[in-house]
């Protein structure tokens, strides 16, 4: 079992490293350009591999951190990629699978967070925030799937926002894994939320820029 886990771990690290590199390139590359599209395809492929390998490792050696990162990585990258393509007449089965799966896990995260806070574990805050973000994202999906979003560029804007969120998830994973090198005075939940607080304004900037 340890040999299998090690193999999946090395795959996870390699895929995550490539994803981080691709994400960084696309953060500074011209949006919509040839380089952006090519690197974006690599980012999606390796991020999906990162998320899937995280879920496998979380099953072999139960790890809440890996499980949450895996779920959000697959959902964010999967839906971001789908929003870059036309739904045609209606969303496909894969779109519903992504959204309904996130809906279920978001509810679990919220209940998990409430229970953790009840026990005095501050990590419950992280669970509640991630659960809330998940439910909000699914709510937006359902509006988009029904064609009720009044924003003309909602598909492009959602694509941009979720790609940046997926990149944020990668940064968060690196931050949390290397938390031991940070000052011990920093609470664990800060390790989880700081990358989001830093990168969210960038997401808002690109989305507002595309609205103009």
């Amino acid at each position: 079992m340890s040999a299998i886990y090690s193999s999946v771990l090395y795959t996870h690290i390699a895929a995550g490293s490539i994803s981080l590199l691709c994400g960084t390139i696309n953060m500074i590359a011209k949006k919509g350009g040839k380089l952006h599209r090519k690197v974006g395809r690599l980012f999606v492929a390796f991020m999906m591999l990162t998320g899937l390998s995280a879920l496998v490792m979380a099953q072999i050696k139960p790890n809440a951190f890996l499980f949450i990162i895996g779920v959000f990585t697959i959902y964010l990258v999967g839906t971001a990629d789908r929003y870059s393509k036309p739904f045609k007449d209606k969303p496909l089965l894969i779109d519903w699978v992504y959204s309904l799966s996130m809906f279920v896990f978001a509810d679990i995260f919220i209940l998990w967070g409430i229970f953790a806070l009840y026990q005095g574990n501050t990590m419950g805050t992280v669970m509640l925030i991630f659960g809330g973000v998940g439910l909000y994202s699914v709510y937006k999906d359902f509006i988009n799937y029904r064609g009720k979003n009044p924003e003309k560029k909602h598909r492009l804007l959602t694509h941009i926002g979720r790609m940046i969120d997926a990149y944020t998830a990668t940064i968060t994973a690196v931050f949390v894994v290397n938390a031991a090198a940070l000052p011990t005075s920093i609470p664990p939940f800060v390790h989880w939320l700081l990358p989001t607080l830093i990168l969210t304004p960038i997401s808002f900037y690109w989305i507002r820029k595309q609205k103009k």
Side-chain angles (χ1 to χ4, degrees):
M1 185 67 72
S2 60
I4 296 176
Y5 184 87
S6 296
S7 298
V8 178
L9 174 61
Y10 294 142
T11 300
H12 178 77
I13 294 174
S17 299
I18 296 174
S19 298
L20 184 60
L21 175 61
C22 291
T24 302
I25 292 174
N26 264 5
M27 286 290 287
I28 59 179
K30 179 182 178 181
K31 303 300 178 286
K34 187 176 181 180
L35 176 63
H36 176 85
R37 293 194 299 272
K38 286 186 175 182
V39 174
R41 286 194 288 270
L42 288 175
F43 179 75
V44 170
F46 282 102
M47 279 297 287
M48 292 297 281
L49 181 56
T50 301
L52 289 171
S53 58
L55 292 182
V56 172
M57 288 190 295
Q59 293 300 313
I60 297 175
K61 292 183 179 181
N63 187 311
F65 156 68
L66 281 175
F67 184 78
I68 294 172
I69 291 296
V71 167
F72 269 91
T73 296
I74 293 173
Y75 170 74
L76 290 172
V77 175
T79 55
D81 183 51
R82 288 293 302 146
Y83 274 108
S84 69
K85 301 174 175 61
F87 280 149
K88 296 183 179 179
D89 295 329
K90 59 182 179 180
L92 300 179
L93 175 61
I94 185 61
D95 300 308
W96 288 108
V97 169
Y98 282 137
S99 297
L100 291 176
S101 297
M102 186 70 256
F103 176 77
V104 172
F105 283 118
D107 287 321
I108 293 174
F109 293 155
I110 289 175
L111 293 175
W112 193 352
I114 293 173
F115 182 71
L117 288 175
Y118 176 76
Q119 292 188 316
N121 186 347
T122 56
M123 281 300 293
T125 303
V126 175
M127 302 295 185
L128 288 176
I129 291 176
F130 273 77
V133 170
L135 285 181
Y136 178 75
S137 298
V138 171
Y139 166 73
K140 298 295 289 186
D141 286 340
F142 290 166
I143 290 177
N144 294 335
Y145 295 167
R146 295 171 59 201
K148 300 296 184 180
N149 195 322
E151 173 60 58
K152 293 182 178 179
K153 295 183 178 180
H154 72 271
R155 296 184 59 77
L156 173 62
L157 301 180
T158 304
H159 168 75
I160 293 173
R162 294 195 182 175
M163 279 298 189
I164 295 178
D165 288 345
Y167 177 72
T168 302
T170 305
I171 298 293
T172 301
V174 173
F175 203 66
V176 172
V177 168
N178 295 282
L182 300 174
T184 56
S185 58
I186 300 178
F189 71 89
V190 175
H191 303 157
W192 282 77
L193 301 179
L194 187 58
T196 298
L197 293 175
I198 294 174
L199 292 173
T200 294
I202 297 177
S203 179
F204 286 155
Y205 166 78
W206 282 113
I207 289 174
R208 289 193 63 182
K209 187 174 182 180
Q210 289 298 323
K211 285 184 176 181
K212 296 180 180 180

